[in-house]
């Protein structure tokens, strides 16, 4: 497939790039600092998603069969970039006639209110007692701005008419790819506290041609 990968310099993004090229896909890697990309045979496009240039984004996504994004804030000051950047990506996709997009969200987001979803469920059916009542509320308070950004990212996707999938991992690790992980539609994984960035990338690539994942949030954990 012809794939465009945003944030290809990040933890998940590098895995997407490496695995997609290894699988024989025709890849365009998008990065704000292309010098930070690993050596790759992919086509490279430079774009800063904090203030994206529509023409550059259309160059990046034009002709793609699908778009993948592992965009995330590097610093606190960057929080907000995911919703803003993804809005620019989806606008470029709309202008270029590209429909399929798979992005990274996060496990707690299903219960985070957003402008487009002001009354989410109080609890995620996949969360057990510890996540629901102890660890979850603390993490959600500490990372409230990050999760608000990701909840708005999901709003952007829901408001679009694209064939989107938002993958919601719990705590990410840098372990090698296993291809062995659990997934669930619209909910988190019971007892699933970790997943490897490499396995998130593996699943994002696998989901690309699965229509049953269109317009779905997907819980994932090792
Ligand atoms: N950490 C966790 O345990 C966890 C758990 C669940 C979900 N998540 C979500 O998963 C996301 C991805 O995780 P990760 O470990 O792969 O993140 P990461 O290594 O921090 O990568 C973030 C990527 O976003 C890019 N980026 C940031 N601002 C940008 C901008 N203005 N324009 C273009 N690119 C920009 C970065 O580019 P540069 O290389 O140029 O900085 C980098 O490629 C996280 O950001 C978070 O939202 C994280």
């Amino acid at each position: 497939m012809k794939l465009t990968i945003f944030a290809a310099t990040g933890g998940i993004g590098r895995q997407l790039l490496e695995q997609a090229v290894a699988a024989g896909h025709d890849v365009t890697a998008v990065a704000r600092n292309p010098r930070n990309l690993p050596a790759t045979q992919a086509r490279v496009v430079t774009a800063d998603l904090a203030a994206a240039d529509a023409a550059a984004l259309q160059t990046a996504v034009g002709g793609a069969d699908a778009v993948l994004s592992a965009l995330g804030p590097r610093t606190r000051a960057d929080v907000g970039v995911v919703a803003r950047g993804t809005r620019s990506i989806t606008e470029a996709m709309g202008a270029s006639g590209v429909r399929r997009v798979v992005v990274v969200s996060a496990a707690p987001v299903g219960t985070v209110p957003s402008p487009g979803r002001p009354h989410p469920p109080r609890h995620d059916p996949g969360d057990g007692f510890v996540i629901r009542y102890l660890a979850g509320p603390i993490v959600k308070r500490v990372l409230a701005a990050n999760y608000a950004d990701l909840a708005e990212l999901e709003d952007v996707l829901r408001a679009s008419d694209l064939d989107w999938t938002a993958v919601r991992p719990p705590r990410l690790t840098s372990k090698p790819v296993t291809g062995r992980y659990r997934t669930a539609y619209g909910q988190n994984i019971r007892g699933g506290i970790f997943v490897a960035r490499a396995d998130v990338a593996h699943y994002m690539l696998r989901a690309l041609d699965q229509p049953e994942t269109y317009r779905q949030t997907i819980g994932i954990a090792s």
Side-chain angles (χ1 to χ4, degrees):
M1 291 174 94
K2 255 189 119 200
L3 303 180
T4 298
I5 299 174
F6 284 90
T9 51
I12 293 174
R14 280 173 167 254
Q15 285 293 328
L16 284 170
L17 178 58
E18 191 180 301
Q19 293 181 34
V21 170
H25 294 296
D26 176 353
V27 177
T28 296
V30 189
R32 59 177 164 174
N33 294 315
R35 279 182 320 230
N36 297 337
L37 284 169
T40 178
Q41 63 200 66
R43 181 171 79 113
V44 174
V45 173
T46 304
D48 185 337
L49 288 163
D53 170 38
L57 292 192
Q58 281 180 41
T59 305
V61 304
D65 298 307
V67 169
L68 299 125
S69 171
L71 179 62
R74 283 284 191 192
T75 67
R76 274 192 174 272
D78 283 340
V79 173
V81 74
V82 186
R84 199 175 324 127
T86 307
R87 188 172 283 113
S88 302
I89 292 169
T90 57
E91 284 168 4
M93 291 176 65
S96 308
V98 179
R99 296 197 51 79
R100 181 72 175 124
V101 59
V102 182
V103 307
V104 181
S105 179
V109 172
T111 53
V112 171
S114 63
R117 195 163 162 265
H119 305 293
R122 264 174 70 76
H123 300 295
D124 185 299
D127 289 343
F129 180 85
V130 172
I131 296 289
R132 215 173 253 208
Y133 298 108
L134 303 175
I138 295 169
V139 173
K140 277 163 84 172
R141 201 168 313 132
V142 173
L143 295 175
N146 298 63
Y147 295 142
D149 185 15
L150 294 175
E152 208 178 318
L153 148 76
E154 294 189 5
D155 281 354
V156 168
L157 297 175
R158 271 189 290 269
S160 77
D161 65 353
L162 299 176
D163 298 330
W164 57 267
T165 303
V167 179
R168 290 179 175 164
R171 183 86 194 134
L172 297 169
T173 73
S174 296
K175 291 188 175 165
V177 65
T178 67
R180 290 188 309 277
Y181 43 80
R182 297 170 287 162
T183 58
Y185 288 87
Q187 67 170 73
N188 291 333
I189 308 292
R190 186 57 69 102
I193 301 171
F194 298 106
V195 68
R197 290 176 173 85
D199 277 336
V200 175
H202 185 275
Y203 177 69
M204 291 172 75
L205 291 166
R206 207 177 81 190
L208 281 177
D209 60 0
Q210 295 180 343
E212 60 274 27
T213 66
Y214 291 4
R215 304 191 70 82
Q216 297 278 350
T217 59
I218 310 273
I220 182 169
S222 56

